[in-house]
Amino acid sequence: MQQSDAPEQKSPAFDEPWQAQAYAMSQVLLENGMVKPEIWAISLGKAIKTRLESGAKDTTETYFQAVTDALVSVLSLGDADLMQTIEAWRAAYETTPHGKPVILAGTTN
Amino acid sequence: MTEYDAKQAAHLHPIIHSHVPSEPALRVKALETLLVEKGMLDSAAVDAWVEVYSEEIGPRTGAGVVARAWCDDAFRQRLLADGASAVAELGITGWALGNLKVVENTATVHNLVVCTLCSCYPHGLLGIQPSWYKLEAYRSRAVRDPRGILAEFHETIPDNVRIDVWDSTAELRYLVLPQKPEGSETMSEESLAALVTRNSMIGTQRHLSVGIGEVSRGRNS
């Protein structure tokens, strides 16, 4: 742990908005009962360990990437579906002019 | 001399000004889309969670509980006996607080909270956990070398003070009840709450003093 991380005021919870969004999704799924707390803790612990063992640095970014890994795992989401949706969002961003809201065809978010 | 290449500029322009999010951000966005499509998640609930926990709760709720315990000994005893019921008296509830254990610092005992598995935390009392709480460096060393970790937080714990390390789980969360600082005897409960820091309720800060408080000034990160 970096000593500079220690003081209270130098340690923001999130470095980037996607991290807050990922963590919030996990907490809402726990609160609405879609994910069981004990299963979540095990899945997240495993996802963190896997990331670190594969060489990722011990950082906030790695932690939140593990949160998304654990969500994919615990909800049994298919990799193909996820990749397809990622590419659909990428295409939507690439083809939407600056200043216009980016909307994925067929969805409301 | 470099020459202007209109074709190359036209090719580069959209790349330079690309507003495509980073790969992790795209992945989270896609994940949310899939979960909403499957009816498992409401995007509005996600946005509300971020707003409430990062901007409203912070550690102030926990600080209020600590201040109440300092001012009301009967409440303090109920808090130590059954944390969840005692905080519910103050209207504080939440799924993550269903099993809450409050551990009290004394002249001879210091308490430190960690989640060695992942990052379990009493969100309803302390808001969102700080980044260091989630790192392997803290999670592994808090158990192995608590004095070393505390030294990194500029806290030297005397040898005659025992350090108890509490490992949070999905089912059981912990809150440290720090010692009331010297010189605060005549302060109001509200003023006392302003002295309580997030780190003191996790246990990475032992010594509070009049004038140190972070929480009242809205520092909840």
Side-chain angles (χ1 to χ4, degrees):
Chain A
M1 190 171 63
Q2 295 293 312
Q3 188 159 335
S4 60
D5 282 344
E8 187 150 313
Q9 62 273 31
K10 292 184 181 174
S11 184
F14 304 110
D15 295 333
E16 295 178 46
W18 68 264
Q19 298 176 353
Q21 206 72 6
Y23 195 72
M25 279 198 283
S26 71
Q27 298 306 301
V28 170
L29 289 163
L30 285 162
E31 286 174 13
N32 71 15
M34 287 288 174
V35 175
K36 300 281 177 227
E38 58 276 17
I39 292 173
W40 174 248
I42 292 167
S43 299
L44 179 55
K46 191 175 168 189
I48 295 168
K49 194 162 179 273
T50 302
R51 286 254 171 196
L52 293 175
E53 285 178 352
S54 60
K57 289 182 180 171
D58 186 19
T59 62
T60 306
E61 173 157 350
T62 297
Y63 171 84
F64 286 112
Q65 285 187 323
V67 169
T68 60
D69 294 344
L71 282 172
V72 172
S73 162
V74 81
L75 297 168
S76 304
L77 298 174
D79 281 344
D81 277 355
L82 186 61
M83 286 310 298
Q84 195 177 4
T85 313
I86 289 172
E87 293 313 316
W89 269 114
R90 192 192 313 280
Y93 274 96
E94 284 173 345
T95 55
T96 303
H98 286 285
K100 302 283 183 189
V102 181
I103 297 169
L104 194 62
T107 70
T108 54
N109 65 344
Chain B
M1 184 179 153
T2 307
E3 291 182 7
Y4 178 73
D5 182 338
K7 195 175 172 186
Q8 182 69 357
H11 171 68
L12 287 175
H13 184 86
I15 296 172
I16 292 168
H17 294 283
S18 171
H19 58 157
V20 178
S22 65
E23 287 303 317
L26 272 179
R27 191 163 184 249
V28 168
K29 211 158 180 48
L31 194 51
E32 184 174 357
T33 300
L34 286 176
L35 295 176
V36 169
E37 280 177 3
K38 289 175 186 292
M40 302 173 85
L41 194 68
D42 176 1
S43 282
V46 175
D47 293 343
W49 198 96
V50 172
E51 191 178 332
V52 169
Y53 281 87
S54 60
E55 294 171 18
E56 292 178 21
I57 292 184
R60 287 173 303 208
T61 308
V65 171
V66 168
R68 172 64 60 89
W70 284 344
C71 294
D72 179 345
D73 194 56
F75 175 77
R76 176 183 145 272
Q77 289 185 28
R78 291 198 298 279
L79 186 68
L80 293 171
D82 182 349
S85 298
V87 299
E89 289 176 28
L90 305 180
I92 305 162
T93 56
W95 72 268
L97 298 178
N99 290 298
L100 175 73
K101 183 170 177 59
V102 179
V103 288
E104 186 178 32
N105 284 350
T106 68
T108 55
V109 175
H110 180 77
N111 294 285
L112 181 67
V113 179
V114 66
C115 171
T116 57
L117 182 59
C118 49
S119 59
C120 297
Y121 194 68
H123 294 111
L125 291 172
L126 301 184
I128 297 169
Q129 59 275 68
S131 58
W132 51 260
Y133 187 85
K134 300 184 278 262
L135 299 184
E136 168 74 4
Y138 176 76
R139 293 186 292 108
S140 58
R141 285 189 54 213
V143 174
R144 214 167 5 99
D145 180 21
R147 285 179 198 277
I149 278 285
L150 285 162
E152 291 187 22
F153 284 86
H154 313 294
E155 285 288 350
T156 304
I157 309 297
D159 289 341
N160 63 345
V161 175
R162 188 184 79 219
I163 300 178
D164 289 344
V165 180
W166 302 90
D167 192 2
S168 302
T169 65
E171 292 85 16
L172 185 57
R173 313 287 164 113
Y174 295 92
L175 178 79
V176 174
L177 178 59
Q179 289 178 287
K180 190 176 176 186
E182 288 179 13
S184 63
E185 293 76 12
T186 60
M187 293 175 71
S188 68
E189 187 175 319
E190 190 182 358
S191 300
L192 285 169
L195 303 180
V196 182
T197 63
R198 178 199 59 207
N199 285 8
S200 71
M201 294 180 281
I202 300 174
T204 50
Q205 180 182 2
R206 178 169 173 82
H207 300 99
L208 293 174
S209 62
V210 175
I212 273 189
E214 301 281 352
V215 173
S216 64
R217 295 197 288 275
R219 282 183 175 169
N220 62 359
S221 58

